[in-house]
């Protein structure tokens, strides 16, 4: 933990990026958790229109991540980040001033697109500052901690704002935060140009290879398969678990479980990744974590409060291990000039996995929309299947090889 914090402090720009990620998550969660309520009560839109708008936002962010990554590769990570933030700032103002369904759906699409540009660019910028190496995974864990802390504190602050002010204040505050952050982050542009470090904290060796080397497609395909499996399992926290819990217990328990997940993720993110940092095989960590998710689904099938709490705790531990490993593999396996698009592809793969999982859940739902306990056993079996297939595939692909990195012939931010 101390080494990770020291690395973040001594690498120029890293703390600014991490603080920025916290601010983005915090600002977004001032509004997003209450957006559906605002659209239905304040704008008096129908539930169908609201559901469509939120769905459009989700798919714009996940489905267009590859486009956002391509933009980051072409324009440079920092300009893409700032552009994504400004797009999101405008979208919140549009939502605040919307008067009809068309404007709301368009604003939500713009909001999702801004996220699709910002997320892969922010990850790419982080690697440009740090270079490749095992420590990058720990910084990504720290990044996830910052994001989750913002996601946990944002709704609390949003609730307080709703008590003391008009709902539109949250929109203005979030939009202002994004504009200010874009101006601050623009100062990092010079730090992400030119030579990229090799292993974290060291200079790259010009003889190590060609920074324009092609992507290892087999390794990238394996990473994307891991992201798909992760998305398939992760979406259960947002769909199946709330539906099942609300049907079997007091709906208030859903909020408690989400709070437990938020706290567990923040507390476990860095310590767990620190303890597994000595395991060089990402396949072993990712597949082992999928088995842990399988165990969490089994615990949920008990249907008791204790079983659901155990499910969330086990799930949270697996979640915090998989996410940084996937990002770390992209950082270490994909050359700098393709890294933004690769991070975008990961986002799209996670979204695809989540979509397939929701289709499965919908096909197995009961007549009243609930889920039987057998559903959790199906998820457990599928998770084990993912773990086995991905581990066997890793023996042929052998992920973890670092992409050759040298000084780009043309600075990435000048494209």
């Amino acid at each position: 933990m101390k080494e990770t914090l020291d690395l973040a402090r001594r690498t120029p720009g890293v703390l600014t990026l991490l603080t920025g990620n916290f601010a983005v998550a915090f600002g977004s969660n001032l509004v997003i958790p209450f957006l559906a309520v605002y659209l239905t009560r304040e704008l008096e839109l129908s539930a169908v229109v609201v559901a469509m708008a939120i769905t459009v936002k989700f798919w714009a962010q996940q489905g267009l991540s590859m486009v956002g990554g391509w933009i980051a590769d072409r324009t440079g990570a920092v300009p893409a980040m700032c552009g994504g933030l400004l797009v999101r700032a405008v979208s919140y103002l549009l939502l605040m001033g919307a008067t009809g369904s068309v404007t709301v759906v368009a604003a939500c699409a713009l909001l999702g697109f801004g996220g699709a540009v910002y997320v892969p660019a922010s990850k790419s910028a982080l690697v440009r500052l740090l270079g490749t190496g095992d420590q990058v995974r720990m910084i990504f864990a720290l990044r996830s901690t910052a994001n989750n802390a913002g996601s946990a504190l944002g709704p609390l602050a949003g609730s307080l704002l709703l008590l003391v002010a008009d709902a539109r204040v949250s929109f203005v505050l979030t939009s202002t935060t994004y504009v200010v952050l874009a101006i601050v982050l623009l100062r990092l542009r010079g730090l992400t140009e030119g030579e990229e470090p090799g292993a974290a904290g060291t200079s790259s060796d010009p003889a190590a290879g060609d920074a324009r080397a092609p992507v290892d497609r087999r390794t990238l395909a394996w990473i994307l398969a891991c992201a798909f499996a992760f998305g398939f399992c992760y979406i259960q926290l947002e769909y199946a678990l709330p539906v099942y819990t609300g049907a079997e217990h007091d709906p208030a328990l859903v909020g408690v479980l989400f709070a437990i997940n938020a706290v567990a993720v923040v507390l476990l993110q860095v310590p767990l990744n620190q303890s597994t940092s000595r395991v060089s095989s990402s396949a072993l960590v990712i597949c082992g974590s999928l088995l842990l998710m399988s165990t969490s689904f089994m615990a949920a099938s008990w249907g008791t409060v204790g079983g659901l709490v155990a499910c969330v705790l086990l799930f949270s531990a697996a979640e915090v291990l998989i996410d940084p490993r996937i990002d770390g593999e992209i950082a270490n396996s994909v050359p700098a000039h393709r890294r933004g698009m690769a991070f975008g592809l990961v986002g799209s793969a996670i979204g695809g996995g989540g979509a397939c999982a929701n289709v499965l859940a919908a096909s197995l739902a009961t007549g009243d929309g609930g889920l039987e306990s057998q559903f959790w056993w199906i998820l457990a079996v599928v998770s084990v299947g993912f773990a086995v297939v991905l581990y066997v595939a890793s023996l042929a692909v052998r992920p973890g090889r670092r992409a050759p990195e040298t000084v780009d012939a043309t600075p990435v931010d000048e494209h």
Side-chain angles (χ1 to χ4, degrees), residues 74-377:
R74 297 294 297 174
T75 67
V78 171
M81 287 171 61
C82 297
L85 287 171
L86 293 177
V87 168
R88 297 184 81 176
V90 170
S91 68
Y92 279 113
L93 295 179
L94 287 175
L95 278 171
M96 182 186 68
T99 56
S101 58
V102 175
T103 309
V104 167
V105 172
C108 283
L110 200 61
L111 179 59
F113 177 68
V117 175
Y118 173 81
V119 173
S122 67
K123 292 181 178 181
S124 184
L126 198 57
V127 183
R128 288 290 298 178
L129 292 175
L130 287 160
T132 57
D134 294 337
Q135 282 290 344
V136 173
R137 284 199 300 268
M138 293 306 305
I139 296 296
F140 273 120
L142 206 57
R143 179 184 183 277
S144 294
T145 301
N147 287 342
N148 284 293
S151 298
L153 295 175
L156 297 177
S159 298
L160 292 175
L161 280 175
L162 287 176
L163 290 175
V164 300
D166 186 272
R168 292 173 177 81
V169 173
S170 296
F171 290 88
V172 174
L173 185 58
T174 298
S175 183
T176 303
T177 299
Y178 285 178
V179 172
V180 172
L181 183 59
I183 296 172
V184 171
L185 291 178
L186 195 59
R187 298 167 56 192
L188 299 181
R189 184 171 183 178
L191 296 176
T192 59
E193 294 177 346
E195 184 174 355
E196 176 178 318
T202 66
S203 297
S204 58
D205 179 4
D210 180 12
R212 296 287 173 183
V215 177
D216 184 339
R217 294 185 179 181
R218 291 197 310 166
T219 300
L220 181 59
W222 182 85
I223 297 170
L224 295 179
C226 290
F228 180 91
F230 176 54
F232 187 98
C233 296
Y234 179 79
I235 200 67
Q236 309 310 326
L237 185 69
E238 299 183 359
Y239 176 73
L241 187 66
V243 170
Y244 181 72
T245 302
E248 298 293 323
H249 301 278
D250 189 321
L253 180 59
V254 175
V256 174
L257 294 178
F258 269 75
I260 292 173
N261 171 253
V263 173
V265 166
V266 171
L267 295 179
L268 295 176
Q269 188 84 56
V270 174
L272 275 184
N273 280 280
Q274 189 77 53
S275 64
T276 58
S277 62
R278 290 183 291 272
V279 180
S280 60
S281 171
S282 290
L284 191 61
V285 173
I286 291 173
C287 296
S289 298
L290 287 172
L291 294 178
L292 193 58
M293 283 188 169
S294 176
T295 305
S296 75
F297 296 146
M298 293 180 195
S301 70
W302 299 342
T304 63
V305 173
L308 292 172
V309 171
C311 167
V312 170
L313 291 174
L314 291 170
F315 190 96
S316 300
E319 172 191 346
V320 302
L321 288 172
I322 294 178
D323 202 19
R325 283 281 173 165
I326 291 176
D327 287 338
E329 282 301 313
I330 290 292
N332 289 329
S333 302
V334 179
H337 70 292
R338 289 288 183 265
R339 200 174 287 139
M341 184 176 289
F343 279 125
L345 282 170
V346 166
S348 297
I350 291 174
C356 290
N358 280 346
V359 169
L360 174 64
S363 66
L364 296 175
T366 59
D368 59 357
L371 293 167
E372 299 288 352
S373 60
Q374 290 86 344
F375 175 73
W376 297 107
W377 285 99

Side-chain angles (χ1 to χ4, degrees), residues 402-414:
R402 292 185 184 134
E405 303 287 353
T406 64
V407 181
D408 288 346
T410 306
V412 71
D413 282 317
E414 294 182 2

